[in-house]
Amino acid sequence: MCNSIKRLLLFSIVALCYGTVSLAQVDQFIINKGWEFKQADKNEWLSATVPGCVHTDLLDHKKIEDPYFGTNEKKVQWVDKKDWVYKTTFKVNDLNKQKQELVFEGLDTYADVYLNGEKILTADNMFRSWTIDVTKGLKKGENELKVYFHSPIKMATPLWDEVGYPLYAINDDSKTGNTGDRKLSVMTRKAGYHYGWDWGPRLVTSGIYRNIYLKSWNKVTVDNIRYQQKNVSEKNVDILTTVNLNVVENANVTIDVLDAKSGKKYASQEVKVSANDKLTTLKFNIKKPKLWWSNGLGEQNLYPIKLVVREGDKVLDENTQNIGIRTINLITEKDDIGESFKIRLNGIDVFMKGTNYIPGDMFLTEVSDEKMEETIKACADANMNMIRVWGGGTYEKDLFYDLCDKYGLIVWQDFMFACSLYPGDENFVANVKAEVKENVIRLRNHASVGMWCGNNEIEWAWFGWGIQKQMKWSEADSTKIINDYFRLFTEEIPNTLHEYDDKDYWASSPYFRKYGDHLETKGDRHLWDVWKGPKSWDYYKSHVPRFMSEYGYQSYPEVETMQKYVTKEDLSLWSPGMRNHQKAKYGNKRIMKNVTKEFAVDGNNFEKVVYASQLYQAYDLQFAIETHRRKMPHCMGSLYWQVNDCWPVASWASIDYEGKWKASHYAVRDAYKDVITSVSLDEAQFNVYIVSDLLKAEKAKLKVDVLNLNGQVVKSEMMDVTIDPNTSKMYYQFPLTELAIDKKELVVVTTLIQKGKKIDQNEFFAARNKDLTLSTDYQLEKKVIAQNDGSYVIELSTDKVLRGVKITSSVEYGTWTDNYFDLVPGETKKIVWQPTAPSTEKVEFSVQTLNKILKDQPAEVLSQL
């Protein structure tokens, strides 16, 4: 996308009709009205929504059933085997500008574009935009624009056959797609998850999924700008500004660099430009800059830098971008352990607390700006400071990175390759290099973009999964495949990247490198042994890498969510509808195996299974995160898989498709706090740690209480502590034998208090949940207080220890300040529930506890508030 209209398009994207917007001497004419579409071999034209895709347009006209409901996914597999045509007309009244360009921000994927009957473009990459000079092809008055989308299946099939050997793509659901053994996703530069994944359906889209606009301009326009920060400190930053101009007529211009808010001029330079001299550089500095910090460490200070190109007093073009002053480096240096893997922000080694992000919908245009911000804000609210854009999805739209700038999430940006092997022909490589160049230029100035990664799990697949034996390649084919891999990910991609950006590059996640060394001493790691089983949570403690970039456990979405996507009769694990919403092989069996072990839950009670699965996922993530944080600086990052869903499904997400926080998101929020207490039971000894991400020492009181599960205090200690900055340290320990009580009868409660205020409380249960002697004979004191703003304050206290307290409201949509928590005697827990929209109906609340679930209390027996 042309950066000179970046901010404009954030406005234009929500328009429902096209129109002309003037920016200086540049006009942008958004073409998103009057579109029609049809199946290429039929004559029925129907109205279309642009941006959009074929599936959503067919759904709007009731030509297909909702692919997210029940097993309807299987009924729409014919769509990707057809060609589709989109067309519209737009009026041009002014042909006086020297240059007229049609810009296509996102065509998915194989498209021939015609203007007034003449082909002007052949597109073949969903991840690229296309700018076409139509100065001579436009006519005054009505112009017809037609886009012919070729079936991605029909286009990729001969490409697959030409390769001569099968390529590996574990998550390409060719069975559902009826493509036989052909894993066609690898042949096309298109979002891999569209072809199926172990959390997503197979819905291979086509369509215009980002804006089309006509750009008209005279003499000079800004193509892109690179802001390189040099000598960054709290006293000064030098900024080298490289401006890439498009020039249609030689001109003497002045380039000004300003503060967009105050108007302060940072730099000004007169330049004589011509078509053969497009690059111009300027230098300026900012004294005493306010640095950009990640979430939790400081403010997300942004400077709105405005660059203006003018001829005398006439503005030819202008561009405004928010720039954050900071340094971000990936540090991989040898140490006494092996080799570090850590992010250094503004000279500080920062533990990365975060998650992996997948596209928010199978149909990308269904991800509203509001939904995207809701997800990013939920990450920040859960105390995260990093988010990984995973390589099987897409390079996200500009708003995503704007939001990460705003909320302080450092972006680990994958290039779009995942779990597959790809062709190495020259056309494919050239296409990828163009894709890399464009997306690097588009994203490089964002404060949040911290590092680039070549791919997801390909080296691991090659060296660790035994795929060479599975695929039965010849020695010659095997050699070519791995040589093509290394050429693409260790030469072509990083070389192209570093031509346009100087951020650090990591070839493949997880670290495996050429000789297959995947240890805890260097690199990053994906750990899936706990999910796949039969490993217990303790496996996390014995396998702590330098940086954990993927791990996690599945759970089911809330029952209320699934009720919208399966019939009432299908609300059971093994029904056809629910099985279609479980895409992981053996997924249901793995969940049931472990929730049965942990909670002794009856698999025939769907509500109990959903509740137990969410608790299991929450406890899994909490255990892993605390383990990773306790081991800093050996480990300097923990990114769980995954924060969000692209459709309603059983998955590793901590927030379900409808935006509801699962139990795990509350657990993650607490485990990622800037300062936490954490208890580890090691060889019959309780070790109490305090982990701090803060950059200065803090004084506090540490309180350690051991309670039996009936609420009596077995042991209590209070001590003054000085919390060391940016580190993990053990502050207290005691043996289990000291307590004269079985571990299944106790909970260790650790509390940090500063200036009389509780800043952290953590409950540690030493035994498996089903073995805990939790009581069902408890007294729950409760109070519900309606507030003037429509929210409710709920106060709870108890005489016995309660585990996994879940509150529900009779009104489905709303936010909780806390949920799925533990409650111990002697405290009053206050929770606020805020409805998403004002409700006139009476709101009732109910509570469920693990105490009752473990004793096989019927699910309908709830404590009414």
Side-chain angles (χ1 to χ4, degrees):
M1 180 179 67
C2 177
N3 283 332
S4 64
I5 60 166
K6 182 176 180 182
R7 294 296 177 262
L8 168 69
L9 290 185
L10 292 179
F11 161 77
S12 303
I13 211 165
V14 300
L16 296 178
C17 59
Y18 61 72
T20 301
V21 182
S22 180
L23 176 65
Q25 296 298 306
V26 179
D27 292 335
Q28 285 83 32
F29 186 79
I30 310 301
I31 305 172
N32 59 359
K33 182 182 177 183
W35 284 93
E36 297 177 294
F37 83 112
K38 76 178 184 75
Q39 190 173 313
D41 57 358
K42 294 185 177 180
N43 294 319
E44 183 184 17
W45 287 96
L46 301 167
S47 61
T49 300
V50 171
C53 74
V54 170
H55 288 79
T56 52
D57 284 331
L58 290 170
L59 190 58
D60 286 343
H61 289 281
K62 296 182 171 52
K63 296 294 183 179
I64 59 173
E65 297 179 78
D66 183 357
Y68 291 179
F69 190 89
T71 59
N72 287 345
E73 170 200 356
K74 296 177 174 61
K75 299 177 183 179
V76 299
Q77 294 305 310
W78 62 273
V79 175
D80 61 34
K81 315 300 187 298
K82 301 295 183 181
D83 296 351
W84 300 90
V85 186
Y86 280 73
K87 71 175 182 179
T88 191
T89 59
F90 61 97
K91 182 178 281 189
V92 177
N93 295 321
D94 180 10
L95 291 176
N96 294 324
K97 292 291 174 74
Q98 291 172 292
K99 182 70 76 172
Q100 308 273 3
E101 295 174 325
L102 275 174
V103 181
F104 303 84
E105 288 193 320
L107 298 176
D108 176 17
T109 292
Y110 294 105
D112 293 330
V113 181
Y114 299 83
L115 177 64
N116 297 325
E118 293 202 11
K119 185 189 287 191
I120 60 170
L121 168 66
T122 296
D124 60 355
N125 189 325
M126 176 181 177
F127 306 128
R128 294 174 60 184
S129 65
W130 313 85
T131 299
I132 307 299
D133 185 348
V134 293
T135 308
K136 296 180 180 179
L138 283 179
K139 59 185 182 182
K140 192 168 184 177
E142 294 291 332
N143 289 261
E144 184 188 63
L145 187 62
K146 184 168 72 173
V147 185
Y148 188 106
F149 288 100
H150 297 272
S151 158
I153 304 306
K154 291 194 295 187
M155 293 296 287
T157 298
L159 298 176
W160 173 278
D161 294 341
E162 286 172 14
V163 171
Y165 45 78
L167 288 168
Y168 180 80
I170 188 173
N171 283 299
D172 186 320
D173 187 5
S174 59
K175 180 179 179 181
T176 295
N178 302 311
T179 62
D181 294 330
R182 293 183 175 95
K183 305 288 189 175
L184 300 176
S185 57
V186 299
M187 307 308 303
T188 300
R189 293 311 296 146
K190 175 175 171 57
Y193 82 111
H194 281 162
Y195 295 80
W197 219 266
D198 54 5
W199 36 255
R202 187 187 186 281
L203 296 168
V204 183
T205 59
S206 291
I208 303 165
Y209 80 102
R210 287 180 179 163
N211 274 345
I212 298 174
Y213 58 89
L214 177 67
K215 178 181 177 181
S216 306
W217 50 279
N218 289 324
K219 293 191 177 180
V220 178
T221 188
V222 177
D223 183 62
N224 64 77
I225 305 169
R226 182 179 182 182
Y227 292 105
Q228 291 175 275
Q229 302 174 23
K230 308 287 186 180
N231 308 313
V232 178
S233 72
E234 293 181 350
K235 295 181 178 179
N236 180 77
V237 59
D238 298 320
I239 299 181
L240 174 63
T241 305
T242 304
V243 188
N244 195 321
L245 300 172
N246 284 339
V247 181
V248 72
E249 178 185 329
N250 295 351
N252 293 312
V253 301
T254 300
I255 300 177
D256 299 323
V257 182
L258 316 164
D259 183 294
K261 280 188 177 179
S262 67
K264 176 184 176 181
K265 186 176 291 188
Y266 291 120
S268 185
Q269 183 170 310
E270 293 184 3
V271 183
K272 184 175 182 179
V273 296
S274 67
N276 296 321
D277 185 18
K278 297 182 178 181
L279 288 178
T280 298
T281 59
L282 300 88
K283 296 179 181 179
F284 67 95
N285 64 15
I286 298 175
K287 300 296 183 185
K288 296 182 178 179
K290 295 180 179 179
L291 299 183
W292 184 92
W293 289 95
S294 60
N295 184 36
L297 284 188
E299 298 297 319
Q300 288 73 57
N301 297 299
L302 296 170
Y303 286 80
I305 305 297
K306 183 177 183 179
L307 185 141
V308 178
V309 180
R310 57 185 173 85
E311 187 178 38
D313 294 332
K314 182 190 296 183
V315 174
L316 300 177
D317 200 359
E318 61 185 39
N319 171 292
T320 300
Q321 297 185 46
N322 287 320
I323 306 301
I325 308 303
R326 85 289 179 270
T327 60
I328 301 181
N329 301 103
L330 171 62
I331 306 299
T332 55
E333 56 190 11
K334 294 187 182 302
D335 55 25
D336 57 0
I337 304 171
E339 186 176 286
S340 68
F341 189 107
K342 57 190 176 184
I343 297 296
R344 185 168 291 166
L345 174 65
N346 298 328
I348 305 294
D349 293 339
V350 180
F351 189 97
M352 291 291 102
K353 303 174 295 188
T355 188
N356 289 259
Y357 180 91
I358 66 172
D361 206 286
M362 289 304 297
F363 310 125
L364 289 169
T365 53
E366 299 303 295
V367 184
S368 68
D369 293 353
E370 292 77 16
K371 181 178 180 180
M372 181 167 281
E373 179 156 18
E374 183 180 278
T375 302
I376 300 302
K377 185 177 184 299
C379 292
D381 289 345
N383 301 303
M384 298 184 202
N385 58 17
M386 174 172 269
I387 191 166
R388 175 181 176 226
V389 179
W390 166 78
T394 186
Y395 307 95
E396 291 296 327
K397 61 185 179 182
D398 294 334
L399 177 63
F400 177 91
Y401 304 93
D402 290 335
L403 292 169
C404 291
D405 293 346
K406 173 182 174 181
Y407 287 106
L409 298 180
I410 295 173
V411 177
W412 168 322
Q413 178 66 55
D414 279 7
F415 290 104
M416 291 302 114
F417 302 89
C419 303
S420 305
L421 291 164
Y422 298 85
D425 61 274
E426 294 306 316
N427 287 338
F428 185 87
V429 171
N431 202 354
V432 168
K433 289 172 67 175
E435 165 193 322
V436 170
K437 173 184 175 181
E438 178 179 330
N439 285 284
V440 167
I441 287 173
R442 179 170 69 94
L443 302 180
R444 64 189 174 191
N445 291 328
H446 281 277
S448 57
V449 176
M451 62 174 285
W452 300 89
C453 181
N455 69 74
N456 176 78
E457 296 188 347
I458 301 180
E459 284 190 21
W460 190 16
W462 184 266
F463 293 111
W465 295 357
I467 63 172
Q468 297 177 68
K469 290 183 178 179
Q470 296 173 36
M471 301 300 291
K472 299 179 181 178
W473 292 304
S474 69
E475 184 175 347
D477 289 343
S478 184
T479 299
K480 183 179 187 315
I481 290 168
I482 194 60
N483 286 342
D484 286 344
Y485 169 84
F486 280 118
R487 177 194 172 192
L488 190 62
F489 293 104
T490 66
E491 297 176 24
E492 301 290 3
I493 288 178
N495 290 346
T496 304
L497 160 66
H498 289 133
E499 188 176 347
Y500 301 100
D501 192 21
D502 51 11
K503 294 184 187 68
D504 292 307
Y505 173 78
W506 191 245
S508 184
S509 180
Y511 174 88
F512 227 85
R513 294 296 168 93
K514 189 172 182 178
Y515 300 106
D517 50 342
H518 189 205
L519 307 174
E520 276 75 47
T521 60
K522 52 185 171 181
D524 71 317
R525 181 172 186 174
H526 297 185
L527 193 151
W528 288 111
D529 305 79
V530 176
W531 160 247
K532 292 181 179 179
K535 308 298 184 183
S536 69
W537 295 331
D538 278 342
Y539 194 78
Y540 289 122
K541 292 171 71 172
S542 58
H543 293 78
V544 181
R546 308 308 301 269
F547 195 107
M548 188 75 87
S549 45
E550 277 191 28
Y551 62 95
Y553 207 89
Q554 269 201 1
S555 69
Y556 299 103
E558 296 288 355
V559 174
E560 293 83 2
T561 295
M562 292 314 303
Q563 283 175 337
K564 300 178 181 67
Y565 299 98
V566 298
T567 64
K568 185 176 181 180
E569 294 72 28
D570 264 2
L571 284 174
S572 64
L573 290 191
W574 307 106
S575 69
M578 280 301 299
R579 290 185 70 170
N580 196 53
H581 288 78
Q582 167 58 276
K583 293 299 184 179
K585 192 175 183 180
Y586 311 124
N588 285 346
K589 290 182 178 179
R590 285 174 178 162
I591 292 175
M592 285 310 304
K593 179 179 180 180
N594 282 304
V595 298
T596 300
K597 275 186 179 181
E598 190 66 28
F599 304 118
V601 169
D602 179 2
N604 294 317
N605 189 310
F606 187 68
E607 290 191 3
K608 284 186 179 181
V609 167
V610 169
Y611 170 78
S613 76
Q614 289 206 22
L615 283 183
Y616 193 93
Q617 180 189 40
Y619 299 157
D620 177 276
L621 293 184
Q622 178 187 12
F623 189 96
I625 290 168
E626 289 190 25
T627 299
H628 301 152
R629 295 189 70 186
R630 285 197 306 267
K631 291 289 286 185
M632 65 183 295
H634 170 90
C635 178
M636 286 299 289
S638 184
L639 310 181
Y640 70 91
W641 184 271
Q642 67 215 63
V643 66
N644 61 324
D645 276 330
C646 62
W647 78 312
V649 66
S651 81
W652 295 265
S654 60
I655 302 175
D656 77 15
Y657 176 67
E658 296 206 337
K660 297 186 182 76
W661 287 25
K662 295 183 182 179
S664 57
H665 206 76
Y666 296 99
V668 163
R669 180 191 61 185
D670 292 343
Y672 277 158
K673 286 195 298 186
D674 293 335
V675 180
I676 64 166
T677 56
S678 179
V679 178
S680 180
L681 180 58
D682 305 305
E683 298 180 353
Q685 180 155 285
F686 291 100
N687 297 313
V688 181
Y689 292 78
I690 301 176
V691 184
S692 174
D693 293 330
L694 302 180
L695 302 183
K696 64 177 183 177
E698 299 277 342
K699 292 188 179 299
K701 291 184 181 297
L702 170 63
K703 190 169 186 285
V704 179
D705 294 314
V706 181
L707 281 65
N708 67 27
L709 299 185
N710 284 324
Q712 285 81 40
V713 176
V714 176
K715 175 184 175 63
S716 183
E717 297 283 348
M718 175 82 85
M719 63 205 79
D720 293 323
V721 295
T722 298
I723 304 171
D724 290 346
N726 200 25
T727 193
S728 168
K729 179 179 174 182
M730 186 172 63
Y731 284 78
Y732 184 66
Q733 58 185 175
F734 59 96
L736 175 62
T737 53
E738 174 188 305
L739 301 176
I741 184 174
D742 193 284
K743 64 181 182 179
K744 68 184 179 182
E745 299 173 356
L746 64 83
V747 58
V748 180
V749 183
T750 52
T751 308
L752 271 180
I753 302 165
Q754 270 189 335
K755 298 177 181 179
K757 182 180 179 182
K758 186 190 301 182
I759 63 170
D760 182 66
Q761 179 173 305
N762 200 349
E763 296 82 29
F764 177 79
F765 294 85
R768 182 170 280 165
N769 281 279
K770 75 173 181 179
D771 296 330
L772 297 175
T773 57
L774 293 167
S775 173
T776 57
D777 183 25
Y778 55 79
Q779 297 297 316
L780 184 64
E781 299 294 328
K782 57 268 186 183
K783 185 185 294 184
V784 179
I785 309 166
Q787 305 294 299
N788 292 333
D789 64 355
S791 66
Y792 291 81
V793 175
I794 301 164
E795 297 181 357
L796 297 177
S797 60
T798 179
D799 63 333
K800 307 283 178 65
V801 174
L802 302 185
R803 181 80 159 135
V805 179
K806 177 190 178 183
I807 311 175
T808 56
S809 67
S810 56
V811 174
E812 180 179 354
Y813 292 101
T815 59
W816 301 91
T817 54
D818 204 359
N819 218 335
Y820 293 94
F821 50 84
D822 299 324
L823 191 61
V824 297
E827 68 175 30
T828 298
K829 181 83 172 181
K830 292 186 178 181
I831 308 99
V832 178
W833 179 76
Q834 180 72 57
T836 302
S839 176
T840 56
E841 62 183 280
K842 181 181 178 181
V843 182
E844 295 182 345
F845 298 93
S846 59
V847 64
Q848 177 64 287
T849 66
L850 190 57
N851 301 50
K852 290 185 177 291
I853 294 292
L854 290 176
K855 301 301 181 182
D856 199 28
Q857 297 280 355
E860 66 271 11
V861 178
L862 302 173
S863 300
Q864 295 297 319
L865 301 186

